[in-house]
Amino acid sequence: MPIYHQEGVQRRFVVGVGQFKPTKGQYQRNLERIGQLMAQAVQEGVEVLVLPETATTGYFVEGGVRELAMPASRLLTDLACLYADLQPNRPLDICVGFYEYLDGEYYNSALYATLEPEPTQSRLLHVHQKFFLPTYGVFEEERFVARGRRLDTFMTRFGRAAILICEDVWHSVSSAIVALKGAQVLYVPTASPARGFHSEQIENVEIYRRILTQIASEHTIYVVQSSLVGFEGGKGFAGASWIVDPFGRVMAQGPVNQEALIVVPLDLDDVAIARAQLPLLSDLRSVIADVALQFEELARRPLP
């Protein structure tokens, strides 16, 4: 897999976005592929490896969710053993999308964990269950999975982070909530079929650029997207992952229709600088009580 480096940012920690094509429904084969990406990431100095939505199974598995879903604890164990097999000399954080089984329900989820050289010391830090489930066009998620109920942040070795999955970021309220809860880095695993080929940029890739740069600039946070590549059932995933800084500037874009590891150093000091220059998040926080009243009013009465 080719390496795409992005230079010019002071190194505080290094994120690696691994956009790749999973084999539909083949968990063990995809786990092996993730192991290869781990090895490549370690060699490239990556400290946080970010993988796409449903990276362990592929996206369009439909009724196969029930056979492929698993508890987050099992995926953590498998990832930890996979990482230990590389005989690393340092920890590696990982964010990866998967179908989750929890308390009798199935979810489209993503976990964030710290993997240690000693697998029993690896730690699960957070699991996000997709909040907005697209069920229109080619999407039928509500037929097969339940939706998440919370939008939370969590502490990592590299600051406070949040995860939103694919359509979660198409709704501006989601990113506002996690930013207000203190997120400095937003990880966005996606599996978005390519559509709209009437201009130089694929339509949904360009839409993601607009959405993610707006989130980053308005809420002054890093946004790191990792997108699936390849074809499933005649539907193609474009890749073209975006990494955006807290000023809303694109730091890197993954190649279109290619597997790749995109390596980008991030500096959390830039979050503080961006927030000092454009205090929109502070302004929002100052009126949050009044905003909450508006939502309470909407929840009490039917929408027009």
Side-chain angles (χ1 to χ4, degrees):
M1 180 179 294
I3 304 296
Y4 294 79
H5 285 281
Q6 184 70 28
E7 302 295 339
V9 178
Q10 181 180 342
R11 186 180 296 264
R12 289 295 182 89
F13 69 100
V14 181
V15 67
V17 171
Q19 55 177 55
F20 78 106
K21 179 188 184 304
T23 303
K24 182 177 177 180
Q26 300 297 312
Y27 174 71
Q28 287 300 329
R29 185 178 300 179
N30 295 326
L31 204 62
E32 292 172 8
R33 189 73 186 91
I34 291 171
Q36 294 168 1
L37 278 166
M38 285 181 183
Q40 189 175 7
V42 169
Q43 184 178 4
E44 293 299 319
V46 169
E47 293 162 291
V48 182
L49 176 62
V50 187
L51 301 178
E53 179 180 8
T54 63
T56 61
T57 59
Y59 177 77
F60 288 109
V61 298
E62 299 181 338
V65 166
R66 290 172 175 79
E67 288 71 44
L68 295 166
M70 64 183 61
S73 57
R74 177 189 162 187
L75 179 55
L76 173 66
T77 297
D78 289 347
L79 293 172
C81 292
L82 198 64
Y83 186 59
D85 288 343
L86 301 177
Q87 299 183 324
N89 59 9
R90 61 174 178 85
L92 173 71
D93 284 18
I94 188 168
C95 176
V96 57
F98 69 110
Y99 283 115
E100 180 187 16
Y101 177 75
L102 176 67
D103 297 334
E105 297 279 8
Y106 302 92
Y107 298 94
N108 181 345
S109 299
L111 66 73
Y112 187 105
T114 297
L115 306 178
E116 297 282 355
E118 170 51 54
T120 59
Q121 296 177 1
S122 295
R123 302 177 304 283
L124 180 65
L125 301 185
H126 183 67
V127 180
H128 170 68
Q129 289 138 359
K130 193 172 182 178
F131 199 85
F132 289 100
L133 301 179
T135 307
Y136 52 82
V138 300
F139 304 104
E140 297 185 295
E141 288 196 32
E142 285 187 350
R143 288 185 57 199
F144 305 109
V145 296
R147 74 170 183 87
R149 297 285 175 171
R150 292 197 55 82
L151 299 168
D152 289 319
T153 62
F154 55 98
M155 281 303 301
T156 77
R157 298 183 296 140
F158 310 108
R160 184 164 290 279
I163 300 171
L164 296 176
I165 300 173
C166 208
E167 181 155 327
D168 288 345
V169 296
W170 288 59
H171 300 267
S172 58
V173 66
S174 307
S175 58
I177 288 171
V178 296
L180 286 166
K181 289 186 174 184
Q184 297 165 291
V185 184
L186 173 60
Y187 297 106
V188 186
T190 64
S192 181
R195 54 193 181 274
F197 299 90
H198 308 298
S199 60
E200 184 176 332
Q201 185 77 273
I202 298 170
E203 181 179 307
N204 64 310
V205 172
E206 175 60 20
I207 290 172
Y208 267 111
R209 183 194 66 80
R210 294 200 303 267
I211 291 172
L212 301 180
T213 55
Q214 176 62 29
I215 288 172
S217 61
E218 180 179 354
H219 301 312
T220 47
I221 58 177
Y222 282 105
V223 181
V224 181
Q225 179 200 25
S226 180
S227 182
L228 283 187
V229 176
F231 284 85
E232 287 184 25
K235 304 173 187 70
F237 299 100
S241 306
W242 297 101
I243 300 92
V244 187
D245 75 10
F247 305 96
R249 302 177 303 210
V250 172
M251 301 177 71
Q253 179 190 5
V256 175
N257 297 327
Q258 294 180 39
E259 293 189 323
L261 178 67
I262 305 100
V263 179
V264 184
L266 307 186
D267 184 348
L268 291 182
D269 287 344
D270 283 344
V271 174
I273 294 169
R275 290 179 178 178
Q277 292 180 357
L278 189 67
L280 294 181
L281 186 62
S282 177
D283 292 345
L284 178 57
R285 188 172 284 116
S286 70
V287 299
I288 191 63
D290 290 332
V291 172
L293 288 174
Q294 304 305 306
F295 279 107
E296 288 176 10
E297 180 182 336
L298 289 169
R300 288 195 300 268
R301 68 180 187 186
L303 294 176

